[in-house]
Every structure is written in C-alpha cells, then in structure tokens.
C-alpha cells in the first residue's frame, strides 16, 4: 500500500483519536475547576435569601397585600450599588408575586432585610412584624 | 422524585414521541430509533408548556385537573392514531438513501467506550454545577425561574404581575416555554424544588444529545454519530449549561431538532411528516426565546430555498403548517400579555448612527472572534482537528439534498446576532460580555451537525459485518462499568468547594478548609487553586480522629506589601511579610485532635480593590496551592 493510501485511510481515525484525547483533557480540566460540594462548602446565597424571606411572603399574602412593597437594605452598600442590587434581585425572586419597590417612600408596606433599617424608617413607618435575622415588616403610620 | 412529577415527565415525553412517530415514515422508525426519542422529548416539553400556559389563567386548584384532562386526551388521541398507523399498510414505499455502513466495527466500539467515559465525567461535573447553584445562574433565577414562580404562585393574574414597572428587569416580554415547563412540573409536585428547574434544563440537554447523535447516525454512520456526540458532551460550556436552568440550551435543542427533521424530510420526498415537525420545532424555538423569532425567519428562508432547489414546493406547505401552529402561543403572548422588549423599543433614532459607527463594528467583531472559542470553555481547542477531519480524503462530493444548509443557517443566525448588537441601545461592552457566549452555545448543536455532514464517507468494510456475540456485548458493558467506576472514584477524590487541601495522614483524613465570610470564592484554572481573602480570615483543619501530625503550607502574595501572622488559640505559628511576589508560608507541625482546629491568618492592612471598576473585589492576601503533609 502506498504512503498516500495509508495516510488516506488513517487520516480520519487519527483525527478522531486526537479529538478524543483533547476532548477528554478538556473535560478533566473542567472537573478540576468545578468542585463538588462537601461539609465545608459555602451555602447557596440565593437559597439563603429564599429561606429568610419566605415567612415574610406568607405573612403578606395572608394579609391580602396586593400592591408593591417597599424594599430597604442598609447594610449592603449604598442603594443601586452592585451589592445592594444583587440583594434586591434575590429578595424579589424570593418574594414574587409580591413586587418589591426600591422607591420605598411611596409604599404603604415596607420590607427591611437588616436590623439597621430602623433608624431610617421609624419616623414615618411603624414595625408590624419582626422576623428572624433582622428582617422586618413595616407599615406607614396613620397621619 | 414524586409519582406526580414522574408521571408529568413521562407523559410529556410520551405525547412528544407519539406526535413524532405519527409524522415519521413507519419504515424509518427503527433506523431513526435514537433521533425519535430526542425529538419527542423536545416536542413534548414544548407542547405541554403551551397547555400549561393556557391553564395558568385558571385558579390553582383547577389547573392540575384541566392540564391532566387535556394532556390525557392528547395522549389517548395520539395513541389511537399511532395504532392505526402501525396497523395500516404503507401507501407507497418511502425510500431514503441508506447511511454509510459502519466502516470498522472496532473503531465504533472504541468511540462508544470513549463517549461513555466522557459522559461519566460530564454528568459528575454537571451535578456539581447544580449543587453549587441549585437555582441556576443569574438569568436562571432572576428571569426564568422568577417567571416560573409567577406562573405557579398566582391565581391566573400573572400578566398583571409582570406588567409592574419594578419588574422590567425580569423581561416579561420573553417567551414562556421554559418557565411554563418548570411551573407545570412544580404543579405536579405540589411544591417548588429547585431540582425541577435543573431537571428541565438537563432534559433539554439530553434531548439535544439524542438529536445530534440520532440524525448523524441516520445520515452518516454510528461512528461519526459517536464522535459528534463526544464533541458535544466534551464541550465544557454545554456541560456547565446543562443544569443551569437558562433558556439557551432548550433553544439550541429546538434549533437542532428543526435542522434534523428538515434534513431527513428533504431526503424522504414521499413523506411530509418530518417537514411538518421541522416547522413545529422552528415555532417552538420562537416560544422559547426571542432569538427563536430570528431563527423562524432564517430557517424558513433556508427551507423555502431548499424546496425550490429540490423542486418540491409542496413540501414547503408542510413546514408552513407546523410553523403556523407552533407560532400561535408566541403571537398571542406578544400581542396580549408581553410588555415591550427593551432592545426593540430602545433603538430609536440612534439606530443608523450605530450602524455606521466603525468602533462598534470593531468591538463586536473582536468579541465574536474571542467568544467563538471562549464559549466552549476549552482548555485545548478542538477547531484545528475538526478542520483537519473535514479535509480528509476521499475528496469527492459528500453532501446530499439539503445537507449543506445547516452551516449557512448558523452563519445567518450569527449575522442576525451581530446586527442586534449593532443597533442595541444597551452599553455595548456589557451587552456583548453578558450575552454573546450564550448565543454561541445556542448554535453549537446545529453547528456540530453541519460539521459532521462535511466529513468524508468512510470506505465500506471489505467483508460482511459479522453478528456481534452476546458475550462480546456483555464484556464491553463490564469493561465500561469497571473503567467508569475508577473514573468516578478518582473524581470523588478531588477537592470540594471550600476545601484548600485534603490528605490521609496517620490513617485519618485531614482537610484544610475555608471558614466564615472573609474569603472570596475559590478559583482554579484546572492546574492550580487559590482563594483571596477580604482581610483577616480563618482556616479550619478538620481531622476524623485524634493524633494526626500535619504541616500546612501554602504560597501567598498581596496587591500591596503587608504583614501576615498565623495563630491558633492565641499561639503564634508563623509571621512574615507578603508582597506582590509569592512567599511560601510553612507552618510548624501541629498535632490535631479529633474535630476542628482553627487557624487565624491576620493581616495589618485593609483589603485593596483589584481594579478601578466600581464592582471590583477588595483583596487582602491569597492562599495559593495549599498543601498538607
């Protein structure tokens, strides 16, 4: 068999072999980058916010609240900062179909997610129900 | 998995498979026995999501009954029609060119073995991804799962909820296939386990694998089918997206399904069913993501061109019928319930200025080149070898009716995406960085089909293929199982999230792990692992039994010079300086008790921002390649 004929027959199988080696190497590399979960692994932050706010969502539904609820977070950076925005989005995911409004001043009800919100809200809002981990439900004071 | 969820999954697969079988030439059921379940799963998930969306306007207590009735009737009707088809004599023989016979049995067996082992690694990696983010990536929970919760938690008034201006970022205009599929399974579960959203995503991934492998096996050979499947499942981008509950993978599945159905439809002119199915898949793509609307235009144009070239204008009617039926829910959604789309409404008068802005073309072009490789997640690029494979002899004509259409579809879609970026009202850098990788992932399965069809047809075996003995099959299965067990055990020995190092010392397993909130996430490039701290931070040494003597060492550095001190229970173990170059920290031997020993790594200076970007992390010092001896 000529060299050309040999090369012709072996070309595609050699390419497939190279693909196999490179592909498996890529997968193995990925397995070293994406680690499994063990007893020391950090918990999922989305699930954490979900757990914290589920009782608040149930409370608002039981009270028949249908309008948007103000959102206040004072210990996660300035409003609209990256950390604050991330917490707002996660909180909204947990609270849906209750809609959270960052412009809390125009809302009847307020959800505050950390203990420091009291100083900001007590002038115009009164606490209605405290929850674990500094979460609280507030309502606008009667004029 | 609850019985309700299991029923919901099986029934949706059964509905889809029955529909596909009904439209498929009976003579090809066996030959296309891998493709049909893949198409069936995709079609079933798409169609049952439409049924659920229709029933979502009912109060929740009536929804399950209504959905079950409609799906039950569909299943019954399809089953009866299928039985009639199975019993009926064929009208006329439906012929299709046979695929290439398996060229060398040994190569095919070897390819199968490689794919099985790759599937083991891919499955483990995908599961780890799910464990790390059970609710999926950012878009998964902020858009798709949020919309699924709106479906599931409301009493028929979900359009009013999504119309709130405060939810504009949740993109209420996006089509509903994925959230409706997730909400439907939650309805059957009676709860919202995060695993269901990941399961829907993984189902679409599985369907994509079956479609890619099935169509190539039908059009080429089992060997090329195994190679195509291998390229797909060894794509880290695909594997990591599989459990991630985004809509890009489902969209790619419908792209591949439309392509596969059309390819086989063009090669079986007497049968119209495959082209009807191609139209259905195309319409379901539009029901999945807005990019699906672009695909409708592109793929319809390609199918019309193909019908004209092949002189089969009437076959275009079948495609149009399937497309028209599948577009109904999308049109209703866009007209009746969807808020306006942010990209389309933001174009305005600046559109033409942006089209003629050369700097935008340069930015988009370079991003396309970067992410055409970047989306794969490859450490070692496969493109050169894939190109070499296409150039293999023999160099005679390889493509039959319509087989050359898939790569042009991919090209036209890429051109469409390019145009959207060009006229986008969003910050271009942000838009490219957040979207382009996922757009390429949508096109990957169809591109792999197109690539596989360019490969040469391998020469026929000189002798007839011998019948494979049962003993050989059993030995092959046993070998696969044995190697897979070793692979799985090796993967299980890898470090887990939060672990810096792990060793078995003096017969006991010792783990060094991160503690508290003072650490950023662990990073790895596949060769080294490192973790940056936010300031003073703790490391835990955990030993299963008392008595192990351990030495912890690691390399450290900082963005600015600082002093570092390592203590345990008030006793100093190490003190030194960390600069911009690596310094090795080697602690004295410690005798560990059973349980946890805490090491505190203190620093005298605050963390420093890693860049001028306002979202940049604040970094103190790094623990790089920790070692336990």
């Amino acid at each position: 068999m000529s060299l050309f004929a040999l090369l012709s027959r072996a070309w595609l199988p050699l390419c497939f072999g190279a693909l196999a080696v490179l592909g498996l190497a890529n997968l193995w590399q990925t397995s070293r980058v994406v680690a499994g979960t063990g007893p020391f692994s950090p918990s999922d932050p989305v699930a954490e916010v979900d757990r914290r706010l589920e009782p608040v969502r149930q409370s608002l539904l039981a009270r028949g609240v249908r309008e948007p609820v103000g959102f206040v977070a004072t210990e996660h950076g300035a409003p609209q900062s990256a950390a604050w925005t991330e917490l707002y989005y996660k909180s909204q995911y947990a609270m849906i179909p209750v809609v959270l409004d960052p412009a809390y001043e125009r809302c009847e009800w307020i959800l505050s997610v950390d203990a420091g919100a009291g100083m900001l809200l007590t002038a115009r809002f009164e606490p209605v129900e405290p929850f674990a981990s500094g979460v609280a439900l507030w309502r606008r004071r009667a004029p | 998995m609850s019985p309700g969820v299991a029923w919901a999954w099986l029934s949706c697969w059964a509905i889809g498979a029955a529909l596909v079988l009904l439209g498929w030439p009976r003579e090809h059921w066996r030959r296309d026995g891998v493709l049909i379940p893949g198409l069936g799963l995709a079609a079933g998930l798409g169609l049952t999501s439409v049924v659920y969306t229709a029933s979502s306007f009912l109060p929740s207590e009536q929804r399950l009954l209504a959905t079950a009735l409609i799906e039950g009737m569909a299943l019954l009707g399809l089953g009866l029609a299928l039985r009639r088809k199975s019993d009926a004599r064929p009208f006329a023989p439906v012929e299709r060119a046979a695929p290439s016979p398996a060229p060398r049995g040994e190569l095919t067996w070897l390819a199968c073995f490689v794919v099985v082992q790759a599937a083991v690694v891919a499955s483990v990696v995908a599961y780890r991804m799910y464990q790390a983010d059970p609710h999926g990536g950012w878009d998964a929970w902020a858009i798709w799962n949020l919309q699924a919760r709106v479906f599931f938690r409301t009493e028929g008034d979900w359009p009013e909820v999504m119309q709130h201006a405060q939810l504009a970022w949740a993109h209420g205009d996006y089509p509903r296939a994925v959230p409706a599929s997730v909400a439907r399974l939650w309805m059957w579960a009676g709860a919202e386990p995060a695993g269901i959203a990941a399961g829907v995503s993984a189902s679409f991934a599985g369907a994509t694998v079956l479609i890619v492998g099935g169509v190539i096996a039908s059009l080429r050979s089992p060997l090329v089918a195994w190679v195509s499947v291998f390229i797909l499942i060894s794509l880290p981008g695909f594997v990591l997206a599989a459990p991630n509950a985004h809509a890009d993978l489902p969209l790619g599945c419908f792209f591949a399904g439309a392509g596969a159905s059309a390819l086989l439809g063009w090669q079986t002119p007497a049968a119209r069913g495959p082209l009807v199915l191609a139209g259905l898949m195309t319409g379901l793509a539009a029901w999945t993501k807005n990019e699906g609307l672009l695909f409708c235009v592109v793929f319809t144009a390609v199918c019309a061109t193909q019908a004209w070239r092949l002189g089969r204008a009437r076959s275009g009617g079948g495609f149009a019928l399937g497309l028209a039926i599948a577009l109904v829910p999308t049109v209703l959604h866009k007209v009746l319930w969807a808020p306006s789309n942010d990209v389309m409404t933001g174009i305005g008068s600046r559109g033409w200025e942006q089209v003629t802005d050369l700097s935008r073309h340069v930015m988009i072009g370079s991003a396309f080149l970067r992410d055409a490789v970047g989306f794969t997640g490859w450490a070692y690029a496969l493109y050169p070898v894939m190109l070499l494979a296409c150039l293999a002899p023999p160099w005679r004509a390889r493509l039959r009716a319509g087989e050359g259409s898939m790569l042009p579809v991919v090209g036209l879609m890429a051109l469409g995406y390019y145009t959207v970026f060009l006229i986008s009202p969003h910050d271009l850098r942000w838009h490219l960085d957040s979207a382009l990788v996922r757009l390429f992932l949508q096109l990957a399965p169809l591109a792999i089909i197109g690539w596989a069809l360019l490969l040469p047809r391998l020469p026929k075996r000189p002798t007839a293929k011998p019948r494979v003995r049962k003993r050989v099959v059993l030995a092959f299965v046993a070998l696969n199982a044995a190697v897979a067990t070793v692979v799985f055990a090796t993967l299980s020995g890898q470090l887990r999230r939060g672990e810096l190092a792990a060793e078995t010392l003096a017969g006991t397993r010792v783990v060094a792990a991160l503690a508290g909130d003072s650490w950023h996430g662990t990073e790895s490039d596949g060769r080294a692992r490192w973790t940056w701290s936010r300031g003073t931070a703790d490391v835990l040494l955990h030993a299963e039994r008392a008595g192990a003597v351990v030495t912890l060492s690691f390399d450290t550095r900082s963005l600015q010079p600082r002093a570092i001190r390592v203590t345990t229970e008030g006793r100093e173990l190490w003190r030194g300086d960390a600069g911009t170059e690596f310094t090795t920290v080697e602690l004295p031997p410690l005798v560990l008790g059973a349980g946890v020993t805490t090491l505190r790594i203190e620093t005298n200076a605050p963390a420093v921002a890693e860049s001028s970007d306002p979202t940049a992390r604040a970094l103190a010092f790094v623990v790089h390649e920790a070692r336990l001896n």
Side-chain angles (χ1 to χ4, degrees), chain B residues 31 34-35 206-222 224-230 232 448-449:
Chain B
R31 183 193 286 179
V34 172
L35 175 62
T208 308
V209 170
L210 289 174
I211 289 170
V212 169
V215 70
I216 298 302
S218 297
L219 292 175
R220 286 297 180 270
S221 67
V224 179
W226 283 120
V227 172
S228 306
V229 163
F230 175 76
L232 186 62
I448 290 172
I449 292 173

PDB file of all heavy atoms in Angstrom, chain B residues 31 34-35 206-222 224-230 232 448-449:
ATOM      1  N   ARG B  31     -34.742   2.685  12.121  1.00  0.00           N
ATOM      2  CA  ARG B  31     -33.478   3.300  11.721  1.00  0.00           C
ATOM      3  C   ARG B  31     -33.241   4.606  12.482  1.00  0.00           C
ATOM      4  O   ARG B  31     -32.119   4.932  12.841  1.00  0.00           O
ATOM      5  CB  ARG B  31     -33.495   3.584  10.225  1.00  0.00           C
ATOM      6  CG  ARG B  31     -32.179   4.151   9.714  1.00  0.00           C
ATOM      7  CD  ARG B  31     -32.331   4.696   8.328  1.00  0.00           C
ATOM      8  NE  ARG B  31     -32.438   3.638   7.340  1.00  0.00           N
ATOM      9  CZ  ARG B  31     -32.608   3.849   6.032  1.00  0.00           C
ATOM     10  NH1 ARG B  31     -32.696   5.074   5.572  1.00  0.00           N
ATOM     11  NH2 ARG B  31     -32.694   2.848   5.192  1.00  0.00           N
ATOM     12  N   VAL B  34     -32.864   6.462  17.583  1.00  0.00           N
ATOM     13  CA  VAL B  34     -32.206   7.327  18.570  1.00  0.00           C
ATOM     14  C   VAL B  34     -32.738   8.755  18.425  1.00  0.00           C
ATOM     15  O   VAL B  34     -32.964   9.452  19.409  1.00  0.00           O
ATOM     16  CB  VAL B  34     -30.669   7.301  18.376  1.00  0.00           C
ATOM     17  CG1 VAL B  34     -29.994   8.335  19.263  1.00  0.00           C
ATOM     18  CG2 VAL B  34     -30.137   5.908  18.687  1.00  0.00           C
ATOM     19  N   LEU B  35     -32.957   9.172  17.196  1.00  0.00           N
ATOM     20  CA  LEU B  35     -33.415  10.540  16.924  1.00  0.00           C
ATOM     21  C   LEU B  35     -34.830  10.775  17.446  1.00  0.00           C
ATOM     22  O   LEU B  35     -35.126  11.817  18.038  1.00  0.00           O
ATOM     23  CB  LEU B  35     -33.364  10.794  15.411  1.00  0.00           C
ATOM     24  CG  LEU B  35     -33.905  12.129  14.918  1.00  0.00           C
ATOM     25  CD1 LEU B  35     -33.112  13.292  15.480  1.00  0.00           C
ATOM     26  CD2 LEU B  35     -33.879  12.171  13.387  1.00  0.00           C
ATOM     27  N   GLY B 206     -30.208  16.459  27.341  1.00  0.00           N
ATOM     28  CA  GLY B 206     -30.271  15.060  26.927  1.00  0.00           C
ATOM     29  C   GLY B 206     -30.936  14.898  25.560  1.00  0.00           C
ATOM     30  O   GLY B 206     -30.478  14.131  24.711  1.00  0.00           O
ATOM     31  N   ALA B 207     -32.019  15.642  25.349  1.00  0.00           N
ATOM     32  CA  ALA B 207     -32.702  15.584  24.058  1.00  0.00           C
ATOM     33  C   ALA B 207     -31.779  16.052  22.942  1.00  0.00           C
ATOM     34  O   ALA B 207     -31.763  15.484  21.843  1.00  0.00           O
ATOM     35  CB  ALA B 207     -33.970  16.444  24.091  1.00  0.00           C
ATOM     36  N   THR B 208     -30.984  17.083  23.217  1.00  0.00           N
ATOM     37  CA  THR B 208     -30.041  17.602  22.217  1.00  0.00           C
ATOM     38  C   THR B 208     -29.022  16.531  21.843  1.00  0.00           C
ATOM     39  O   THR B 208     -28.706  16.343  20.659  1.00  0.00           O
ATOM     40  CB  THR B 208     -29.311  18.840  22.753  1.00  0.00           C
ATOM     41  OG1 THR B 208     -30.265  19.785  23.225  1.00  0.00           O
ATOM     42  CG2 THR B 208     -28.458  19.485  21.679  1.00  0.00           C
ATOM     43  N   VAL B 209     -28.513  15.824  22.849  1.00  0.00           N
ATOM     44  CA  VAL B 209     -27.534  14.765  22.583  1.00  0.00           C
ATOM     45  C   VAL B 209     -28.156  13.680  21.697  1.00  0.00           C
ATOM     46  O   VAL B 209     -27.548  13.223  20.722  1.00  0.00           O
ATOM     47  CB  VAL B 209     -27.031  14.161  23.909  1.00  0.00           C
ATOM     48  CG1 VAL B 209     -26.208  12.911  23.672  1.00  0.00           C
ATOM     49  CG2 VAL B 209     -26.207  15.182  24.680  1.00  0.00           C
ATOM     50  N   LEU B 210     -29.393  13.277  22.014  1.00  0.00           N
ATOM     51  CA  LEU B 210     -30.070  12.248  21.217  1.00  0.00           C
ATOM     52  C   LEU B 210     -30.313  12.737  19.791  1.00  0.00           C
ATOM     53  O   LEU B 210     -30.164  11.978  18.827  1.00  0.00           O
ATOM     54  CB  LEU B 210     -31.409  11.877  21.867  1.00  0.00           C
ATOM     55  CG  LEU B 210     -31.335  11.091  23.171  1.00  0.00           C
ATOM     56  CD1 LEU B 210     -32.717  10.928  23.778  1.00  0.00           C
ATOM     57  CD2 LEU B 210     -30.693   9.727  22.959  1.00  0.00           C
ATOM     58  N   ILE B 211     -30.696  14.009  19.640  1.00  0.00           N
ATOM     59  CA  ILE B 211     -30.981  14.550  18.307  1.00  0.00           C
ATOM     60  C   ILE B 211     -29.704  14.599  17.475  1.00  0.00           C
ATOM     61  O   ILE B 211     -29.684  14.148  16.317  1.00  0.00           O
ATOM     62  CB  ILE B 211     -31.621  15.953  18.420  1.00  0.00           C
ATOM     63  CG1 ILE B 211     -33.044  15.836  18.956  1.00  0.00           C
ATOM     64  CG2 ILE B 211     -31.627  16.656  17.060  1.00  0.00           C
ATOM     65  CD1 ILE B 211     -33.676  17.171  19.340  1.00  0.00           C
ATOM     66  N   VAL B 212     -28.636  15.120  18.043  1.00  0.00           N
ATOM     67  CA  VAL B 212     -27.372  15.229  17.297  1.00  0.00           C
ATOM     68  C   VAL B 212     -26.867  13.832  16.924  1.00  0.00           C
ATOM     69  O   VAL B 212     -26.530  13.562  15.767  1.00  0.00           O
ATOM     70  CB  VAL B 212     -26.317  16.001  18.122  1.00  0.00           C
ATOM     71  CG1 VAL B 212     -24.942  15.894  17.487  1.00  0.00           C
ATOM     72  CG2 VAL B 212     -26.707  17.460  18.267  1.00  0.00           C
ATOM     73  N   GLY B 213     -26.832  12.924  17.903  1.00  0.00           N
ATOM     74  CA  GLY B 213     -26.364  11.559  17.617  1.00  0.00           C
ATOM     75  C   GLY B 213     -27.281  10.842  16.651  1.00  0.00           C
ATOM     76  O   GLY B 213     -26.832  10.169  15.713  1.00  0.00           O
ATOM     77  N   GLY B 214     -28.591  11.003  16.854  1.00  0.00           N
ATOM     78  CA  GLY B 214     -29.551  10.285  16.022  1.00  0.00           C
ATOM     79  C   GLY B 214     -29.525  10.711  14.564  1.00  0.00           C
ATOM     80  O   GLY B 214     -29.539   9.878  13.652  1.00  0.00           O
ATOM     81  N   VAL B 215     -29.482  12.024  14.308  1.00  0.00           N
ATOM     82  CA  VAL B 215     -29.540  12.464  12.920  1.00  0.00           C
ATOM     83  C   VAL B 215     -28.250  12.092  12.188  1.00  0.00           C
ATOM     84  O   VAL B 215     -28.285  11.702  11.012  1.00  0.00           O
ATOM     85  CB  VAL B 215     -29.838  13.987  12.830  1.00  0.00           C
ATOM     86  CG1 VAL B 215     -28.660  14.820  13.308  1.00  0.00           C
ATOM     87  CG2 VAL B 215     -30.203  14.371  11.427  1.00  0.00           C
ATOM     88  N   ILE B 216     -27.118  12.162  12.870  1.00  0.00           N
ATOM     89  CA  ILE B 216     -25.859  11.803  12.212  1.00  0.00           C
ATOM     90  C   ILE B 216     -25.782  10.302  11.984  1.00  0.00           C
ATOM     91  O   ILE B 216     -25.287   9.839  10.947  1.00  0.00           O
ATOM     92  CB  ILE B 216     -24.651  12.322  13.016  1.00  0.00           C
ATOM     93  CG1 ILE B 216     -24.683  13.846  13.112  1.00  0.00           C
ATOM     94  CG2 ILE B 216     -23.337  11.858  12.391  1.00  0.00           C
ATOM     95  CD1 ILE B 216     -24.685  14.557  11.774  1.00  0.00           C
ATOM     96  N   ALA B 217     -26.292   9.523  12.929  1.00  0.00           N
ATOM     97  CA  ALA B 217     -26.318   8.070  12.728  1.00  0.00           C
ATOM     98  C   ALA B 217     -27.187   7.716  11.527  1.00  0.00           C
ATOM     99  O   ALA B 217     -26.878   6.800  10.764  1.00  0.00           O
ATOM    100  CB  ALA B 217     -26.857   7.373  13.975  1.00  0.00           C
ATOM    101  N   SER B 218     -28.288   8.470  11.338  1.00  0.00           N
ATOM    102  CA  SER B 218     -29.189   8.184  10.222  1.00  0.00           C
ATOM    103  C   SER B 218     -28.615   8.642   8.891  1.00  0.00           C
ATOM    104  O   SER B 218     -28.867   8.025   7.863  1.00  0.00           O
ATOM    105  CB  SER B 218     -30.536   8.883  10.443  1.00  0.00           C
ATOM    106  OG  SER B 218     -31.174   8.382  11.583  1.00  0.00           O
ATOM    107  N   LEU B 219     -27.851   9.732   8.905  1.00  0.00           N
ATOM    108  CA  LEU B 219     -27.358  10.289   7.651  1.00  0.00           C
ATOM    109  C   LEU B 219     -25.933   9.851   7.303  1.00  0.00           C
ATOM    110  O   LEU B 219     -25.543   9.933   6.138  1.00  0.00           O
ATOM    111  CB  LEU B 219     -27.410  11.823   7.703  1.00  0.00           C
ATOM    112  CG  LEU B 219     -28.808  12.434   7.728  1.00  0.00           C
ATOM    113  CD1 LEU B 219     -28.729  13.941   7.903  1.00  0.00           C
ATOM    114  CD2 LEU B 219     -29.563  12.100   6.442  1.00  0.00           C
ATOM    115  N   ARG B 220     -25.158   9.454   8.321  1.00  0.00           N
ATOM    116  CA  ARG B 220     -23.777   9.064   8.051  1.00  0.00           C
ATOM    117  C   ARG B 220     -23.539   7.654   8.594  1.00  0.00           C
ATOM    118  O   ARG B 220     -23.829   6.691   7.920  1.00  0.00           O
ATOM    119  CB  ARG B 220     -22.785  10.068   8.680  1.00  0.00           C
ATOM    120  CG  ARG B 220     -22.707  11.397   7.940  1.00  0.00           C
ATOM    121  CD  ARG B 220     -22.182  11.204   6.524  1.00  0.00           C
ATOM    122  NE  ARG B 220     -22.103  12.470   5.802  1.00  0.00           N
ATOM    123  CZ  ARG B 220     -23.103  12.969   5.059  1.00  0.00           C
ATOM    124  NH1 ARG B 220     -24.246  12.325   4.954  1.00  0.00           N
ATOM    125  NH2 ARG B 220     -22.945  14.119   4.428  1.00  0.00           N
ATOM    126  N   SER B 221     -22.999   7.560   9.796  1.00  0.00           N
ATOM    127  CA  SER B 221     -22.702   6.238  10.347  1.00  0.00           C
ATOM    128  C   SER B 221     -22.677   6.333  11.867  1.00  0.00           C
ATOM    129  O   SER B 221     -22.533   7.419  12.428  1.00  0.00           O
ATOM    130  CB  SER B 221     -21.324   5.754   9.849  1.00  0.00           C
ATOM    131  OG  SER B 221     -20.306   6.576  10.397  1.00  0.00           O
ATOM    132  N   PRO B 222     -22.818   5.200  12.544  1.00  0.00           N
ATOM    133  CA  PRO B 222     -22.724   5.224  14.005  1.00  0.00           C
ATOM    134  C   PRO B 222     -21.408   5.803  14.502  1.00  0.00           C
ATOM    135  O   PRO B 222     -21.387   6.511  15.519  1.00  0.00           O
ATOM    136  CB  PRO B 222     -22.860   3.749  14.385  1.00  0.00           C
ATOM    137  CG  PRO B 222     -23.617   3.127  13.274  1.00  0.00           C
ATOM    138  CD  PRO B 222     -23.190   3.873  12.036  1.00  0.00           C
ATOM    139  N   VAL B 224     -19.451   8.188  13.171  1.00  0.00           N
ATOM    140  CA  VAL B 224     -19.469   9.661  13.121  1.00  0.00           C
ATOM    141  C   VAL B 224     -20.468  10.207  14.140  1.00  0.00           C
ATOM    142  O   VAL B 224     -20.260  11.264  14.729  1.00  0.00           O
ATOM    143  CB  VAL B 224     -19.796  10.146  11.693  1.00  0.00           C
ATOM    144  CG1 VAL B 224     -19.835  11.660  11.631  1.00  0.00           C
ATOM    145  CG2 VAL B 224     -18.765   9.618  10.701  1.00  0.00           C
ATOM    146  N   ALA B 225     -21.558   9.464  14.368  1.00  0.00           N
ATOM    147  CA  ALA B 225     -22.543   9.881  15.379  1.00  0.00           C
ATOM    148  C   ALA B 225     -21.904   9.906  16.765  1.00  0.00           C
ATOM    149  O   ALA B 225     -22.089  10.866  17.529  1.00  0.00           O
ATOM    150  CB  ALA B 225     -23.744   8.943  15.368  1.00  0.00           C
ATOM    151  N   TRP B 226     -21.142   8.863  17.109  1.00  0.00           N
ATOM    152  CA  TRP B 226     -20.468   8.837  18.419  1.00  0.00           C
ATOM    153  C   TRP B 226     -19.489  10.000  18.532  1.00  0.00           C
ATOM    154  O   TRP B 226     -19.399  10.638  19.588  1.00  0.00           O
ATOM    155  CB  TRP B 226     -19.708   7.521  18.617  1.00  0.00           C
ATOM    156  CG  TRP B 226     -20.557   6.327  18.960  1.00  0.00           C
ATOM    157  CD1 TRP B 226     -20.669   5.167  18.251  1.00  0.00           C
ATOM    158  CD2 TRP B 226     -21.401   6.157  20.104  1.00  0.00           C
ATOM    159  NE1 TRP B 226     -21.517   4.295  18.877  1.00  0.00           N
ATOM    160  CE2 TRP B 226     -21.995   4.876  20.009  1.00  0.00           C
ATOM    161  CE3 TRP B 226     -21.722   6.965  21.205  1.00  0.00           C
ATOM    162  CZ2 TRP B 226     -22.877   4.376  20.971  1.00  0.00           C
ATOM    163  CZ3 TRP B 226     -22.606   6.466  22.158  1.00  0.00           C
ATOM    164  CH2 TRP B 226     -23.168   5.192  22.033  1.00  0.00           C
ATOM    165  N   VAL B 227     -18.756  10.285  17.463  1.00  0.00           N
ATOM    166  CA  VAL B 227     -17.779  11.386  17.504  1.00  0.00           C
ATOM    167  C   VAL B 227     -18.496  12.718  17.694  1.00  0.00           C
ATOM    168  O   VAL B 227     -18.063  13.566  18.474  1.00  0.00           O
ATOM    169  CB  VAL B 227     -16.929  11.403  16.213  1.00  0.00           C
ATOM    170  CG1 VAL B 227     -16.053  12.649  16.147  1.00  0.00           C
ATOM    171  CG2 VAL B 227     -16.054  10.154  16.126  1.00  0.00           C
ATOM    172  N   SER B 228     -19.622  12.902  16.998  1.00  0.00           N
ATOM    173  CA  SER B 228     -20.383  14.160  17.128  1.00  0.00           C
ATOM    174  C   SER B 228     -20.905  14.324  18.549  1.00  0.00           C
ATOM    175  O   SER B 228     -20.827  15.409  19.129  1.00  0.00           O
ATOM    176  CB  SER B 228     -21.562  14.177  16.150  1.00  0.00           C
ATOM    177  OG  SER B 228     -21.118  13.930  14.845  1.00  0.00           O
ATOM    178  N   VAL B 229     -21.453  13.231  19.094  1.00  0.00           N
ATOM    179  CA  VAL B 229     -21.955  13.278  20.472  1.00  0.00           C
ATOM    180  C   VAL B 229     -20.810  13.585  21.425  1.00  0.00           C
ATOM    181  O   VAL B 229     -20.955  14.371  22.364  1.00  0.00           O
ATOM    182  CB  VAL B 229     -22.650  11.946  20.834  1.00  0.00           C
ATOM    183  CG1 VAL B 229     -22.808  11.805  22.336  1.00  0.00           C
ATOM    184  CG2 VAL B 229     -24.008  11.863  20.153  1.00  0.00           C
ATOM    185  N   PHE B 230     -19.647  12.985  21.177  1.00  0.00           N
ATOM    186  CA  PHE B 230     -18.496  13.223  22.048  1.00  0.00           C
ATOM    187  C   PHE B 230     -18.103  14.700  22.039  1.00  0.00           C
ATOM    188  O   PHE B 230     -17.842  15.288  23.098  1.00  0.00           O
ATOM    189  CB  PHE B 230     -17.300  12.369  21.607  1.00  0.00           C
ATOM    190  CG  PHE B 230     -16.055  12.667  22.400  1.00  0.00           C
ATOM    191  CD1 PHE B 230     -15.901  12.193  23.684  1.00  0.00           C
ATOM    192  CD2 PHE B 230     -15.045  13.460  21.858  1.00  0.00           C
ATOM    193  CE1 PHE B 230     -14.762  12.489  24.427  1.00  0.00           C
ATOM    194  CE2 PHE B 230     -13.908  13.762  22.595  1.00  0.00           C
ATOM    195  CZ  PHE B 230     -13.772  13.274  23.882  1.00  0.00           C
ATOM    196  N   LEU B 232     -19.967  17.221  21.506  1.00  0.00           N
ATOM    197  CA  LEU B 232     -20.988  17.982  22.235  1.00  0.00           C
ATOM    198  C   LEU B 232     -20.835  17.827  23.743  1.00  0.00           C
ATOM    199  O   LEU B 232     -20.821  18.811  24.474  1.00  0.00           O
ATOM    200  CB  LEU B 232     -22.384  17.522  21.788  1.00  0.00           C
ATOM    201  CG  LEU B 232     -23.572  18.300  22.345  1.00  0.00           C
ATOM    202  CD1 LEU B 232     -23.538  19.755  21.907  1.00  0.00           C
ATOM    203  CD2 LEU B 232     -24.884  17.651  21.891  1.00  0.00           C
ATOM    204  N   ILE B 448     -22.482  21.526  15.071  1.00  0.00           N
ATOM    205  CA  ILE B 448     -21.841  20.204  15.115  1.00  0.00           C
ATOM    206  C   ILE B 448     -22.484  19.283  14.080  1.00  0.00           C
ATOM    207  O   ILE B 448     -21.797  18.515  13.392  1.00  0.00           O
ATOM    208  CB  ILE B 448     -21.945  19.594  16.533  1.00  0.00           C
ATOM    209  CG1 ILE B 448     -21.036  20.379  17.485  1.00  0.00           C
ATOM    210  CG2 ILE B 448     -21.571  18.118  16.529  1.00  0.00           C
ATOM    211  CD1 ILE B 448     -21.177  20.001  18.940  1.00  0.00           C
ATOM    212  N   ILE B 449     -23.816  19.365  13.917  1.00  0.00           N
ATOM    213  CA  ILE B 449     -24.492  18.583  12.876  1.00  0.00           C
ATOM    214  C   ILE B 449     -23.938  18.968  11.508  1.00  0.00           C
ATOM    215  O   ILE B 449     -23.596  18.117  10.680  1.00  0.00           O
ATOM    216  CB  ILE B 449     -26.019  18.788  12.930  1.00  0.00           C
ATOM    217  CG1 ILE B 449     -26.598  18.176  14.204  1.00  0.00           C
ATOM    218  CG2 ILE B 449     -26.694  18.184  11.699  1.00  0.00           C
ATOM    219  CD1 ILE B 449     -28.078  18.477  14.430  1.00  0.00           C
TER     220      ILE B 449
END
